[in-house]
């Protein structure tokens, strides 16, 4: 057991809290102190709720002292991505158009955290409306990667990955539309899961693409991800796409960590060419670890995955252009009056507000979506993309006939430097090449650290994909691999990350 | 595939209610052209006769019993409004003068 509370896992903190070895106030204060020390450099948070978190912590400590039966994670603090509505706490989605907006209600995921008695530390940074792979598209400035402050922490959920990687919180909530939980996990040496579509309620999650969005856990260990997955997941009558079934036995699977006889499918189209040598090398070693643990390796082919990126960048902008139409300057958010117009119309105010309030990437995608959906082009673009989506789902179905899970590197490269891809949208989009197919088909996926790439010493990610509603398989494979990698490294990968409390700010 | 012109982008921006500046329009024509060329790959996939897929899970109609339950009050609903008046959202004029 580690003595530094900020370095402890959520599972360890839960045990300490239950045994009376610490209090929620003590744990929460330790996290807030760490934020004070390092977040000036990292910028993982857009908003820290010091008073709110401590008051929840005091409440839980009191209830525990009265002998009340509490949730396993009661008193363990958590950070929430700024795309989730939090009653009484600002929710901006990284956009100027929602600057200062305080939602009058909680997302279902947030209500469940509160019911479990988990203090909410604050809201984490993200690419504007979750559009991006680097947090460089946040209207409030980028988050820096705790491994190297000159590099990106992944995106869109770079705030949530960085907050756990820099030991400011043991747990964070992320959302994943095309890789926004898994790719940030990969480049920061952390763990992240995108559950099966419908496994976690989307009520109160500000929608990017409704048929792709899914919230999930961001953590430092596979068991912690399972514990948080269990709190977040399950049926919600407020979301018509919510699956009406119990959460798969994810915690049990993480505890057993058993892959004996399991068939691990390597996706031919998601390895080799296009993947950085060090990322590929750590992937190959991880596969060998799973073989040593008793799994069997098969190779599968998913030929339609090569068109997944293209289909995604038609389907996502189409849905986004429709979802973001609600930011109209009328009911909430920013209102800007056009310059030099007397008595402007509602339409003119809308257009001026959306120009001032949205960033470049958001405008690009709204206009692309408007084009893909316009009459005359609908069949050629959106229609064709929906057909490719079916082919991808069929490829998954076929692959899962010969494999229990599929594996690949999570992202093609390690963390790149700020500015490297910001002016080239297609280069930025390629970061999600291995993560996008899961969103299109709705299947669950996890990323966990596979080691450091030889050429740059930065973390690489290992992705596991499972059939819809078989999320528990991710945790069985993830926990088995994690055990063996920790043994090989002599501890968690993040123990090798720089100690930020002594660093000085570098330019981005 | 039809080439996207500056006028096309201006028209789309109008449909999307975004008042793009001239500089933004200039930049976006080029960027969108590159993206459109890349995403056109979907048209070369073997999609003939394939059923389009709009959603990852089978969509079923969801109903609930018709009973009253708590909801946002007027104050909470209006709490983020740029302008409100007599428990209503106050908006700029919606009709043209002429």
């Amino acid at each position: 057991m580690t003595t530094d509370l900020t370095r402890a896992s959520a599972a360890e903190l839960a045990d300490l809290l239950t045994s009376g070895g610490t209090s929620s106030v003590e744990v929460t204060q330790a996290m807030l102190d760490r934020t004070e020390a390092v977040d000036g450099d990292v910028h993982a948070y857009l908003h820290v709720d010091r008073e709110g978190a401590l008051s929840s912590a005091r409440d839980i400590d009191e209830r525990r002292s009265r002998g009340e039966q509490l949730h396993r994670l009661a008193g363990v603090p958590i950070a929430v991505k700024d795309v989730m509505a939090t009653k009484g706490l600002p929710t901006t989605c990284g956009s100027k158009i929602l600057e200062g907006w305080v939602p009058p209600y909680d997302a279902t995921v947030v209500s469940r955290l509160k019911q479990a008695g988990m203090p909410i530390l604050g809201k984490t940074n993200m690419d504007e409306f979750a559009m991006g792979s680097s947090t460089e598209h946040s209207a409030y400035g980028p988050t820096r990667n705790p491994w190297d402050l000159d590099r990106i922490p992944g995106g869109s959920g770079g705030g949530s990955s960085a907050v756990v990687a820099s030991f400011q919180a043991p747990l964070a909530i992320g959302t994943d539309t095309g890789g926004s939980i898994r790719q940030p996990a990969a480049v920061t040496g952390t763990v992240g899961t995108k559950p099966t579509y419908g496994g976690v309620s989307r009520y109160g999650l500000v929608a990017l693409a409704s048929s792709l969005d899914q919230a999930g856990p961001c953590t430092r260990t596979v068991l912690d991800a399972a514990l948080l997955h269990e709190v977040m997941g399950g049926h919600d009558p407020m979301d018509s796409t919510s699956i009406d079934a119990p959460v798969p036995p994810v915690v049990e699977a993480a505890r057993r960590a058993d892959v004996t006889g399991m068939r691990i499918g390597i996706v031919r189209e998601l390895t080799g060419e296009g993947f950085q040598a060090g990322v590929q090398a750590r992937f190959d070693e991880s596969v060998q670890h799973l073989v040593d643990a008793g799994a069997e390796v098969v190779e599968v082919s998913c030929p339609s995955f090569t068109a997944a990126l293209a289909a995604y960048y038609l389907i996502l902008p189409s849905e986004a252009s429709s979802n973001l139409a609600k930011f109209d300057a009328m009911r909430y958010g920013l209102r800007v009056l056009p310059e030099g117009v007397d008595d402007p119309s509602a339409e003119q105010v809308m257009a001026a507000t959306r120009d001032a309030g949205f960033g470049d990437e958001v405008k690009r995608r709204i206009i692309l979506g408007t084009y893909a959906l316009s009459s005359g082009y609908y069949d050629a673009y959106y229609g064709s993309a929906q057909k490719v989506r079916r082919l991808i789902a069929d490829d998954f179905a076929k692959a899962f006939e010969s494999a229990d899970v599929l594996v690949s590197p999570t992202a093609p490269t390690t963390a790149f430097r700020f500015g490297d891809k910001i002016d080239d949208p297609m280069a930025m989009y390629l970061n999600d090449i291995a993560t996008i197919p899961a969103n299109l088909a709705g299947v669950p996926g996890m990323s966990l650290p596979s080691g450091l790439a030889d050429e740059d010493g930065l973390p690489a990610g290992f992705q596991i994909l499972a059939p819809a509603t078989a999320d528990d398989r991710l945790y069985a494979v993830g926990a088995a691999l994690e055990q063996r990698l920790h043994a090989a490294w002599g501890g968690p990968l993040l123990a090798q990350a720089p100690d930020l409390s002594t660093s000085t700010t570098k330019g981005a | 595939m039809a080439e996207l012109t500056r006028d096309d982008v201006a028209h789309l921006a109008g449909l999307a209610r975004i008042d793009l500046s001239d500089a933004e329009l200039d930049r976006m024509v080029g960027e969108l052209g590159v993206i459109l060329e890349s995403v056109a790959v979907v048209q070369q996939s073997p999609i003939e006769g394939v059923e389009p897929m709009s959603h990852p899970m089978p969509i079923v109609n969801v109903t609930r019993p018709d009973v009253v339950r708590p909801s946002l009050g007027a104050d909470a609903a209006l709490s983020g409004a740029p302008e409100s008046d007599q428990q209503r959202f106050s908006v700029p004029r919606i009709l043209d003068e002429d």
Side-chain angles (χ1 to χ4, degrees), chain A residues 331-332 335 343 346 354-355 360 363-364 380-381 386 390, chain B residues 1 16-17 19 24 27 31 43 51 53 80-81 90 93:
Chain A
R331 293 152 301 160
Y332 56 103
R335 178 181 288 182
D343 189 23
R354 287 161 67 81
D355 183 49
D360 287 346
K363 290 176 188 172
R364 250 192 311 266
Y381 288 108
Q386 284 189 312
R390 171 81 57 195
Chain B
M1 183 191 67
R17 305 282 185 272
D19 192 6
E24 284 181 306
R27 203 174 55 239
E31 288 167 349
Q43 293 154 7
E51 183 69 20
M53 179 172 165
S90 179
R93 64 178 174 81

PDB file of all heavy atoms in Angstrom, chain A residues 331-332 335 343 346 354-355 360 363-364 380-381 386 390, chain B residues 1 16-17 19 24 27 31 43 51 53 80-81 90 93:
ATOM      1  N   ARG A 331     -32.054  30.560 -25.881  1.00  0.00           N
ATOM      2  CA  ARG A 331     -32.501  30.036 -24.585  1.00  0.00           C
ATOM      3  C   ARG A 331     -31.397  29.937 -23.528  1.00  0.00           C
ATOM      4  O   ARG A 331     -31.656  29.993 -22.340  1.00  0.00           O
ATOM      5  CB  ARG A 331     -33.168  28.685 -24.782  1.00  0.00           C
ATOM      6  CG  ARG A 331     -34.469  28.794 -25.555  1.00  0.00           C
ATOM      7  CD  ARG A 331     -34.752  27.528 -26.304  1.00  0.00           C
ATOM      8  NE  ARG A 331     -33.678  27.233 -27.233  1.00  0.00           N
ATOM      9  CZ  ARG A 331     -33.446  26.030 -27.739  1.00  0.00           C
ATOM     10  NH1 ARG A 331     -34.186  25.020 -27.382  1.00  0.00           N
ATOM     11  NH2 ARG A 331     -32.454  25.851 -28.596  1.00  0.00           N
ATOM     12  N   TYR A 332     -30.153  29.750 -23.997  1.00  0.00           N
ATOM     13  CA  TYR A 332     -29.022  29.716 -23.063  1.00  0.00           C
ATOM     14  C   TYR A 332     -27.749  29.918 -23.855  1.00  0.00           C
ATOM     15  O   TYR A 332     -27.762  29.858 -25.087  1.00  0.00           O
ATOM     16  CB  TYR A 332     -28.974  28.386 -22.286  1.00  0.00           C
ATOM     17  CG  TYR A 332     -28.920  27.147 -23.154  1.00  0.00           C
ATOM     18  CD1 TYR A 332     -27.729  26.444 -23.330  1.00  0.00           C
ATOM     19  CD2 TYR A 332     -30.064  26.687 -23.796  1.00  0.00           C
ATOM     20  CE1 TYR A 332     -27.687  25.313 -24.136  1.00  0.00           C
ATOM     21  CE2 TYR A 332     -30.027  25.567 -24.602  1.00  0.00           C
ATOM     22  CZ  TYR A 332     -28.837  24.888 -24.772  1.00  0.00           C
ATOM     23  OH  TYR A 332     -28.797  23.778 -25.563  1.00  0.00           O
ATOM     24  N   ARG A 335     -24.998  35.255 -26.477  1.00  0.00           N
ATOM     25  CA  ARG A 335     -25.768  35.995 -27.488  1.00  0.00           C
ATOM     26  C   ARG A 335     -24.934  37.188 -27.931  1.00  0.00           C
ATOM     27  O   ARG A 335     -24.561  38.021 -27.108  1.00  0.00           O
ATOM     28  CB  ARG A 335     -27.121  36.457 -26.944  1.00  0.00           C
ATOM     29  CG  ARG A 335     -27.918  37.266 -27.973  1.00  0.00           C
ATOM     30  CD  ARG A 335     -29.254  37.755 -27.442  1.00  0.00           C
ATOM     31  NE  ARG A 335     -30.219  36.652 -27.302  1.00  0.00           N
ATOM     32  CZ  ARG A 335     -31.490  36.852 -26.894  1.00  0.00           C
ATOM     33  NH1 ARG A 335     -31.920  38.062 -26.600  1.00  0.00           N
ATOM     34  NH2 ARG A 335     -32.307  35.818 -26.788  1.00  0.00           N
ATOM     35  N   ASP A 343     -31.526  47.027 -34.931  1.00  0.00           N
ATOM     36  CA  ASP A 343     -32.653  46.120 -34.739  1.00  0.00           C
ATOM     37  C   ASP A 343     -32.480  44.795 -35.507  1.00  0.00           C
ATOM     38  O   ASP A 343     -33.265  44.475 -36.406  1.00  0.00           O
ATOM     39  CB  ASP A 343     -33.949  46.815 -35.189  1.00  0.00           C
ATOM     40  CG  ASP A 343     -35.181  46.007 -34.797  1.00  0.00           C
ATOM     41  OD1 ASP A 343     -35.065  45.191 -33.843  1.00  0.00           O
ATOM     42  OD2 ASP A 343     -36.211  46.149 -35.457  1.00  0.00           O
ATOM     43  N   ALA A 346     -33.687  37.757 -35.342  1.00  0.00           N
ATOM     44  CA  ALA A 346     -33.223  36.585 -34.587  1.00  0.00           C
ATOM     45  C   ALA A 346     -32.203  35.799 -35.420  1.00  0.00           C
ATOM     46  O   ALA A 346     -31.199  35.322 -34.908  1.00  0.00           O
ATOM     47  CB  ALA A 346     -34.405  35.700 -34.214  1.00  0.00           C
ATOM     48  N   ARG A 354     -23.058  32.409 -33.563  1.00  0.00           N
ATOM     49  CA  ARG A 354     -22.402  31.152 -33.899  1.00  0.00           C
ATOM     50  C   ARG A 354     -21.024  31.392 -34.520  1.00  0.00           C
ATOM     51  O   ARG A 354     -20.106  30.589 -34.358  1.00  0.00           O
ATOM     52  CB  ARG A 354     -23.304  30.322 -34.812  1.00  0.00           C
ATOM     53  CG  ARG A 354     -24.503  29.737 -34.039  1.00  0.00           C
ATOM     54  CD  ARG A 354     -25.632  29.318 -34.934  1.00  0.00           C
ATOM     55  NE  ARG A 354     -25.325  28.194 -35.806  1.00  0.00           N
ATOM     56  CZ  ARG A 354     -25.361  26.898 -35.443  1.00  0.00           C
ATOM     57  NH1 ARG A 354     -25.696  26.579 -34.216  1.00  0.00           N
ATOM     58  NH2 ARG A 354     -25.086  25.945 -36.299  1.00  0.00           N
ATOM     59  N   ASP A 355     -20.863  32.526 -35.215  1.00  0.00           N
ATOM     60  CA  ASP A 355     -19.533  32.850 -35.746  1.00  0.00           C
ATOM     61  C   ASP A 355     -18.580  33.196 -34.614  1.00  0.00           C
ATOM     62  O   ASP A 355     -17.434  32.756 -34.591  1.00  0.00           O
ATOM     63  CB  ASP A 355     -19.609  34.012 -36.734  1.00  0.00           C
ATOM     64  CG  ASP A 355     -18.240  34.317 -37.351  1.00  0.00           C
ATOM     65  OD1 ASP A 355     -17.590  33.348 -37.815  1.00  0.00           O
ATOM     66  OD2 ASP A 355     -17.819  35.483 -37.340  1.00  0.00           O
ATOM     67  N   ASP A 360     -12.769  27.191 -35.061  1.00  0.00           N
ATOM     68  CA  ASP A 360     -12.583  26.778 -36.457  1.00  0.00           C
ATOM     69  C   ASP A 360     -13.014  25.341 -36.738  1.00  0.00           C
ATOM     70  O   ASP A 360     -13.664  25.058 -37.735  1.00  0.00           O
ATOM     71  CB  ASP A 360     -11.110  26.926 -36.861  1.00  0.00           C
ATOM     72  CG  ASP A 360     -10.720  28.376 -37.035  1.00  0.00           C
ATOM     73  OD1 ASP A 360     -11.635  29.221 -37.100  1.00  0.00           O
ATOM     74  OD2 ASP A 360      -9.511  28.665 -37.104  1.00  0.00           O
ATOM     75  N   LYS A 363     -16.781  24.889 -36.727  1.00  0.00           N
ATOM     76  CA  LYS A 363     -17.387  25.463 -37.936  1.00  0.00           C
ATOM     77  C   LYS A 363     -17.153  24.550 -39.135  1.00  0.00           C
ATOM     78  O   LYS A 363     -18.070  24.307 -39.933  1.00  0.00           O
ATOM     79  CB  LYS A 363     -16.792  26.847 -38.211  1.00  0.00           C
ATOM     80  CG  LYS A 363     -17.214  27.902 -37.210  1.00  0.00           C
ATOM     81  CD  LYS A 363     -16.492  29.207 -37.503  1.00  0.00           C
ATOM     82  CE  LYS A 363     -16.738  30.226 -36.404  1.00  0.00           C
ATOM     83  NZ  LYS A 363     -15.913  31.424 -36.573  1.00  0.00           N
ATOM     84  N   ARG A 364     -15.909  24.047 -39.250  1.00  0.00           N
ATOM     85  CA  ARG A 364     -15.585  23.147 -40.363  1.00  0.00           C
ATOM     86  C   ARG A 364     -16.530  21.956 -40.382  1.00  0.00           C
ATOM     87  O   ARG A 364     -17.085  21.589 -41.405  1.00  0.00           O
ATOM     88  CB  ARG A 364     -14.159  22.623 -40.174  1.00  0.00           C
ATOM     89  CG  ARG A 364     -13.165  23.174 -41.171  1.00  0.00           C
ATOM     90  CD  ARG A 364     -11.843  22.448 -41.178  1.00  0.00           C
ATOM     91  NE  ARG A 364     -11.188  22.202 -39.910  1.00  0.00           N
ATOM     92  CZ  ARG A 364     -10.254  23.006 -39.373  1.00  0.00           C
ATOM     93  NH1 ARG A 364      -9.873  24.105 -39.984  1.00  0.00           N
ATOM     94  NH2 ARG A 364      -9.698  22.698 -38.220  1.00  0.00           N
ATOM     95  N   ALA A 380     -24.867  10.414 -52.088  1.00  0.00           N
ATOM     96  CA  ALA A 380     -23.453  10.215 -52.406  1.00  0.00           C
ATOM     97  C   ALA A 380     -22.584  10.221 -51.147  1.00  0.00           C
ATOM     98  O   ALA A 380     -21.606   9.472 -51.075  1.00  0.00           O
ATOM     99  CB  ALA A 380     -22.977  11.304 -53.362  1.00  0.00           C
ATOM    100  N   TYR A 381     -22.940  11.051 -50.185  1.00  0.00           N
ATOM    101  CA  TYR A 381     -22.081  11.174 -49.007  1.00  0.00           C
ATOM    102  C   TYR A 381     -22.674  10.471 -47.780  1.00  0.00           C
ATOM    103  O   TYR A 381     -22.218   9.408 -47.378  1.00  0.00           O
ATOM    104  CB  TYR A 381     -21.804  12.651 -48.702  1.00  0.00           C
ATOM    105  CG  TYR A 381     -20.859  13.260 -49.714  1.00  0.00           C
ATOM    106  CD1 TYR A 381     -21.309  14.171 -50.656  1.00  0.00           C
ATOM    107  CD2 TYR A 381     -19.524  12.888 -49.742  1.00  0.00           C
ATOM    108  CE1 TYR A 381     -20.445  14.713 -51.600  1.00  0.00           C
ATOM    109  CE2 TYR A 381     -18.645  13.420 -50.675  1.00  0.00           C
ATOM    110  CZ  TYR A 381     -19.108  14.332 -51.605  1.00  0.00           C
ATOM    111  OH  TYR A 381     -18.251  14.853 -52.527  1.00  0.00           O
ATOM    112  N   GLN A 386     -23.345   5.539 -44.497  1.00  0.00           N
ATOM    113  CA  GLN A 386     -24.176   4.630 -43.687  1.00  0.00           C
ATOM    114  C   GLN A 386     -24.078   3.186 -44.187  1.00  0.00           C
ATOM    115  O   GLN A 386     -24.206   2.248 -43.405  1.00  0.00           O
ATOM    116  CB  GLN A 386     -25.634   5.077 -43.758  1.00  0.00           C
ATOM    117  CG  GLN A 386     -25.931   6.284 -42.905  1.00  0.00           C
ATOM    118  CD  GLN A 386     -27.423   6.529 -42.846  1.00  0.00           C
ATOM    119  OE1 GLN A 386     -28.094   6.532 -43.873  1.00  0.00           O
ATOM    120  NE2 GLN A 386     -27.937   6.704 -41.660  1.00  0.00           N
ATOM    121  N   ARG A 390     -22.512  -0.234 -42.188  1.00  0.00           N
ATOM    122  CA  ARG A 390     -23.048  -1.601 -42.138  1.00  0.00           C
ATOM    123  C   ARG A 390     -21.945  -2.612 -42.446  1.00  0.00           C
ATOM    124  O   ARG A 390     -21.845  -3.648 -41.767  1.00  0.00           O
ATOM    125  CB  ARG A 390     -24.195  -1.729 -43.150  1.00  0.00           C
ATOM    126  CG  ARG A 390     -24.696  -3.148 -43.363  1.00  0.00           C
ATOM    127  CD  ARG A 390     -25.661  -3.600 -42.301  1.00  0.00           C
ATOM    128  NE  ARG A 390     -26.800  -2.691 -42.233  1.00  0.00           N
ATOM    129  CZ  ARG A 390     -27.667  -2.655 -41.210  1.00  0.00           C
ATOM    130  NH1 ARG A 390     -27.510  -3.464 -40.183  1.00  0.00           N
ATOM    131  NH2 ARG A 390     -28.660  -1.796 -41.212  1.00  0.00           N
TER     132      ARG A 390
ATOM    133  N   MET B   1     -16.779  13.877 -58.633  1.00  0.00           N
ATOM    134  CA  MET B   1     -17.286  14.645 -57.495  1.00  0.00           C
ATOM    135  C   MET B   1     -17.228  16.138 -57.821  1.00  0.00           C
ATOM    136  O   MET B   1     -16.241  16.636 -58.357  1.00  0.00           O
ATOM    137  CB  MET B   1     -16.423  14.346 -56.272  1.00  0.00           C
ATOM    138  CG  MET B   1     -16.904  15.027 -55.025  1.00  0.00           C
ATOM    139  SD  MET B   1     -15.692  14.896 -53.695  1.00  0.00           S
ATOM    140  CE  MET B   1     -14.350  15.894 -54.314  1.00  0.00           C
ATOM    141  N   ALA B  16     -26.282  26.967 -42.273  1.00  0.00           N
ATOM    142  CA  ALA B  16     -25.882  26.564 -40.920  1.00  0.00           C
ATOM    143  C   ALA B  16     -25.926  27.739 -39.948  1.00  0.00           C
ATOM    144  O   ALA B  16     -25.593  27.579 -38.774  1.00  0.00           O
ATOM    145  CB  ALA B  16     -24.480  25.962 -40.947  1.00  0.00           C
ATOM    146  N   ARG B  17     -26.360  28.924 -40.432  1.00  0.00           N
ATOM    147  CA  ARG B  17     -26.447  30.121 -39.595  1.00  0.00           C
ATOM    148  C   ARG B  17     -25.109  30.428 -38.908  1.00  0.00           C
ATOM    149  O   ARG B  17     -25.032  30.553 -37.688  1.00  0.00           O
ATOM    150  CB  ARG B  17     -27.532  29.964 -38.516  1.00  0.00           C
ATOM    151  CG  ARG B  17     -28.907  29.612 -39.038  1.00  0.00           C
ATOM    152  CD  ARG B  17     -29.634  30.806 -39.624  1.00  0.00           C
ATOM    153  NE  ARG B  17     -30.993  30.469 -40.002  1.00  0.00           N
ATOM    154  CZ  ARG B  17     -31.347  29.975 -41.201  1.00  0.00           C
ATOM    155  NH1 ARG B  17     -30.409  29.780 -42.145  1.00  0.00           N
ATOM    156  NH2 ARG B  17     -32.602  29.687 -41.466  1.00  0.00           N
ATOM    157  N   ASP B  19     -22.076  33.251 -39.549  1.00  0.00           N
ATOM    158  CA  ASP B  19     -21.724  34.443 -40.302  1.00  0.00           C
ATOM    159  C   ASP B  19     -20.211  34.479 -40.522  1.00  0.00           C
ATOM    160  O   ASP B  19     -19.500  35.228 -39.863  1.00  0.00           O
ATOM    161  CB  ASP B  19     -22.204  35.670 -39.493  1.00  0.00           C
ATOM    162  CG  ASP B  19     -22.155  36.937 -40.305  1.00  0.00           C
ATOM    163  OD1 ASP B  19     -21.857  36.864 -41.509  1.00  0.00           O
ATOM    164  OD2 ASP B  19     -22.413  38.011 -39.717  1.00  0.00           O
ATOM    165  N   GLU B  24     -12.258  33.667 -43.250  1.00  0.00           N
ATOM    166  CA  GLU B  24     -12.667  32.312 -42.868  1.00  0.00           C
ATOM    167  C   GLU B  24     -13.153  31.535 -44.086  1.00  0.00           C
ATOM    168  O   GLU B  24     -12.849  30.359 -44.257  1.00  0.00           O
ATOM    169  CB  GLU B  24     -13.793  32.372 -41.820  1.00  0.00           C
ATOM    170  CG  GLU B  24     -13.315  32.721 -40.426  1.00  0.00           C
ATOM    171  CD  GLU B  24     -14.470  32.744 -39.425  1.00  0.00           C
ATOM    172  OE1 GLU B  24     -15.467  33.453 -39.680  1.00  0.00           O
ATOM    173  OE2 GLU B  24     -14.368  32.068 -38.408  1.00  0.00           O
ATOM    174  N   ARG B  27     -10.226  30.368 -46.260  1.00  0.00           N
ATOM    175  CA  ARG B  27      -9.491  29.248 -45.674  1.00  0.00           C
ATOM    176  C   ARG B  27     -10.317  27.954 -45.766  1.00  0.00           C
ATOM    177  O   ARG B  27      -9.804  26.904 -46.106  1.00  0.00           O
ATOM    178  CB  ARG B  27      -9.151  29.564 -44.214  1.00  0.00           C
ATOM    179  CG  ARG B  27      -7.961  28.778 -43.712  1.00  0.00           C
ATOM    180  CD  ARG B  27      -7.533  29.204 -42.317  1.00  0.00           C
ATOM    181  NE  ARG B  27      -8.604  29.125 -41.365  1.00  0.00           N
ATOM    182  CZ  ARG B  27      -9.055  30.159 -40.654  1.00  0.00           C
ATOM    183  NH1 ARG B  27      -8.531  31.347 -40.812  1.00  0.00           N
ATOM    184  NH2 ARG B  27     -10.037  30.000 -39.796  1.00  0.00           N
ATOM    185  N   GLU B  31      -9.700  23.828 -47.117  1.00  0.00           N
ATOM    186  CA  GLU B  31      -9.714  22.752 -46.115  1.00  0.00           C
ATOM    187  C   GLU B  31     -10.822  21.746 -46.409  1.00  0.00           C
ATOM    188  O   GLU B  31     -10.603  20.540 -46.360  1.00  0.00           O
ATOM    189  CB  GLU B  31      -9.925  23.346 -44.722  1.00  0.00           C
ATOM    190  CG  GLU B  31      -8.715  24.082 -44.200  1.00  0.00           C
ATOM    191  CD  GLU B  31      -9.051  24.922 -42.959  1.00  0.00           C
ATOM    192  OE1 GLU B  31     -10.249  25.077 -42.647  1.00  0.00           O
ATOM    193  OE2 GLU B  31      -8.109  25.416 -42.332  1.00  0.00           O
ATOM    194  N   GLN B  43     -17.493   6.144 -51.412  1.00  0.00           N
ATOM    195  CA  GLN B  43     -18.197   5.823 -52.664  1.00  0.00           C
ATOM    196  C   GLN B  43     -17.527   4.679 -53.420  1.00  0.00           C
ATOM    197  O   GLN B  43     -18.144   4.047 -54.265  1.00  0.00           O
ATOM    198  CB  GLN B  43     -18.288   7.076 -53.536  1.00  0.00           C
ATOM    199  CG  GLN B  43     -19.185   8.137 -52.917  1.00  0.00           C
ATOM    200  CD  GLN B  43     -18.843   9.542 -53.368  1.00  0.00           C
ATOM    201  OE1 GLN B  43     -18.015   9.745 -54.260  1.00  0.00           O
ATOM    202  NE2 GLN B  43     -19.466  10.531 -52.747  1.00  0.00           N
ATOM    203  N   GLU B  51     -27.703  -2.451 -47.009  1.00  0.00           N
ATOM    204  CA  GLU B  51     -28.703  -1.720 -46.228  1.00  0.00           C
ATOM    205  C   GLU B  51     -28.010  -0.640 -45.393  1.00  0.00           C
ATOM    206  O   GLU B  51     -27.103  -0.946 -44.612  1.00  0.00           O
ATOM    207  CB  GLU B  51     -29.405  -2.730 -45.311  1.00  0.00           C
ATOM    208  CG  GLU B  51     -30.529  -2.188 -44.467  1.00  0.00           C
ATOM    209  CD  GLU B  51     -31.762  -1.793 -45.260  1.00  0.00           C
ATOM    210  OE1 GLU B  51     -31.918  -2.276 -46.409  1.00  0.00           O
ATOM    211  OE2 GLU B  51     -32.538  -0.996 -44.735  1.00  0.00           O
ATOM    212  N   MET B  53     -26.963   1.807 -42.395  1.00  0.00           N
ATOM    213  CA  MET B  53     -27.053   1.597 -40.944  1.00  0.00           C
ATOM    214  C   MET B  53     -26.989   2.959 -40.269  1.00  0.00           C
ATOM    215  O   MET B  53     -25.993   3.658 -40.370  1.00  0.00           O
ATOM    216  CB  MET B  53     -25.868   0.727 -40.509  1.00  0.00           C
ATOM    217  CG  MET B  53     -25.785   0.436 -39.032  1.00  0.00           C
ATOM    218  SD  MET B  53     -24.465  -0.793 -38.743  1.00  0.00           S
ATOM    219  CE  MET B  53     -24.261  -0.606 -36.974  1.00  0.00           C
ATOM    220  N   GLY B  80     -30.397  30.181 -17.658  1.00  0.00           N
ATOM    221  CA  GLY B  80     -29.272  30.437 -18.561  1.00  0.00           C
ATOM    222  C   GLY B  80     -29.638  31.335 -19.726  1.00  0.00           C
ATOM    223  O   GLY B  80     -28.821  31.534 -20.629  1.00  0.00           O
ATOM    224  N   ALA B  81     -30.855  31.886 -19.720  1.00  0.00           N
ATOM    225  CA  ALA B  81     -31.316  32.670 -20.880  1.00  0.00           C
ATOM    226  C   ALA B  81     -30.553  33.986 -20.990  1.00  0.00           C
ATOM    227  O   ALA B  81     -30.342  34.670 -19.989  1.00  0.00           O
ATOM    228  CB  ALA B  81     -32.806  32.938 -20.761  1.00  0.00           C
ATOM    229  N   SER B  90     -36.857  35.871 -23.978  1.00  0.00           N
ATOM    230  CA  SER B  90     -37.012  37.087 -24.764  1.00  0.00           C
ATOM    231  C   SER B  90     -36.037  37.014 -25.946  1.00  0.00           C
ATOM    232  O   SER B  90     -34.839  36.850 -25.763  1.00  0.00           O
ATOM    233  CB  SER B  90     -36.710  38.298 -23.886  1.00  0.00           C
ATOM    234  OG  SER B  90     -36.838  39.476 -24.636  1.00  0.00           O
ATOM    235  N   ARG B  93     -36.440  40.244 -32.863  1.00  0.00           N
ATOM    236  CA  ARG B  93     -37.609  40.111 -33.765  1.00  0.00           C
ATOM    237  C   ARG B  93     -37.419  38.922 -34.710  1.00  0.00           C
ATOM    238  O   ARG B  93     -36.306  38.624 -35.142  1.00  0.00           O
ATOM    239  CB  ARG B  93     -37.812  41.396 -34.564  1.00  0.00           C
ATOM    240  CG  ARG B  93     -36.680  41.724 -35.513  1.00  0.00           C
ATOM    241  CD  ARG B  93     -36.958  42.988 -36.313  1.00  0.00           C
ATOM    242  NE  ARG B  93     -35.768  43.315 -37.103  1.00  0.00           N
ATOM    243  CZ  ARG B  93     -35.484  42.725 -38.260  1.00  0.00           C
ATOM    244  NH1 ARG B  93     -36.301  41.822 -38.767  1.00  0.00           N
ATOM    245  NH2 ARG B  93     -34.376  43.052 -38.905  1.00  0.00           N
TER     246      ARG B  93
END
